[in-house]
Amino acid sequence: MDLRAAGMGLAFAVMWSSAFSAGRIISTAAPPLTALSLRFVVAGVIGIALARALGQSWRLTPAQWRATIVFGICQNALYLGLYWVAFQTVEASLGAIIASAMPLLVALAGWIVLGERVAPLGVAGLIAGFAGVALIMGARFQGGADPFGVTLCVIGVLALSVATLTMRGVSSGGNFLMVVGLQMLVGAVVLLPFALALEELRVDWSARLVAAYLYTILVPGLAATLVWFLLVHRIGAVKAATFHFLNPFLGVAIAAVLLDEQLGPLDLVGVTVIAFGILAVQLSKQHTVAGARP
């Protein structure tokens, strides 16, 4: 892995982790599904416009269209939609910790459903990672965490795992920004009817809300997704996914700084265990892929 790829991976981890705090700021001040639908429309239009300016095409292959639609539904509409609703009652740090289970769930599905080989290091990582998540969730439930909000987060991360599995092996064909923009519009189309039917337009306007909203459109929405696709294109999905081990640390750290969310001793222990579990799983995958090469 070269220095540029390492920088891209670190940038992605920071942007991805910061989205939880920004989402909580927005969801506690505005109707979440409405705000998210509008974000998808704005980010999608910007992404497609930039893609066309760079000469990218929206004439995707059937496989690319399928992946774009599934990703738009599972990641944008389901994962983010459920998370933003949950952020009305669930702290950003807890949401980040639950979402950090995504690479563990993807590895588990690959092992059980797809029959992929998992080395002993990977099995140990899976056990440790899920144990860390369970430790933190148990402590948070005892501290009064909202069970309904936590359930929404769990369903959301399952949808994100499906989206990640769907995208494996599907090339963007160089149309990175176009694919990102189209995925955003898919999310908007799916969420907008629910926003109109379920929510009332009441917004507690503030400079903080506006800053968080602009940030989430441009950085986690467009930049992070684009950097992820470029990183996967540069070093492959297995190596790129290694950077997810940073997300538990970064997610809770950013929430503590921006939102003054308190972390207990069990949170710190659990986050450390999750991070090393994710790292073990991803390192195991790299060794397995390397060993499978002729």
Side-chain angles (χ1 to χ4, degrees), residues 34-67:
T34 302
L36 191 57
S37 300
L38 181 58
R39 169 195 151 175
F40 287 150
V41 171
V42 174
V45 170
I46 292 174
I48 291 172
L50 290 174
R52 293 300 295 161
L54 294 172
Q56 296 182 16
S57 172
W58 45 43
R59 294 181 179 178
L60 307 181
T61 67
Q64 290 170 340
W65 273 115
R66 283 194 299 271

Side-chain angles (χ1 to χ4, degrees), residues 76-214:
N76 295 336
L78 290 177
Y79 164 63
L80 287 175
L82 291 170
Y83 253 74
W84 279 38
V85 172
F87 279 148
Q88 294 178 109
T89 57
V90 172
E91 290 187 332
S93 56
L94 180 56
I97 290 165
I98 296 172
S100 69
M102 183 274 289
L104 302 173
L105 290 168
V106 170
L108 184 63
W111 182 24
I112 295 176
V113 179
L114 303 179
E116 297 175 351
R117 191 171 79 83
V118 178
L121 177 63
V123 175
L126 285 171
I127 294 172
F130 285 123
V133 174
L135 178 67
I136 293 174
M137 289 179 65
R140 292 296 184 95
F141 276 132
Q142 289 183 352
D146 176 35
F148 179 70
V150 170
T151 301
L152 293 182
C153 289
V154 171
I155 297 173
V157 79
L158 290 173
L160 178 61
S161 302
V162 171
T164 304
L165 286 168
T166 301
M167 290 300 293
R168 294 200 309 184
V170 178
S171 170
S172 68
N175 294 319
F176 294 110
L177 265 174
M178 182 61 71
V179 169
V180 171
L182 290 172
Q183 288 169 359
M184 297 291 177
L185 293 186
V186 170
V189 169
V190 174
L191 278 185
L192 189 56
F194 293 95
L196 294 174
L198 300 176
E199 293 181 339
E200 191 174 340
L201 190 58
R202 291 183 180 178
V203 181
D204 183 11
W205 291 102
S206 67
R208 189 187 195 199
L209 171 62
V210 174
Y213 198 70
L214 292 175

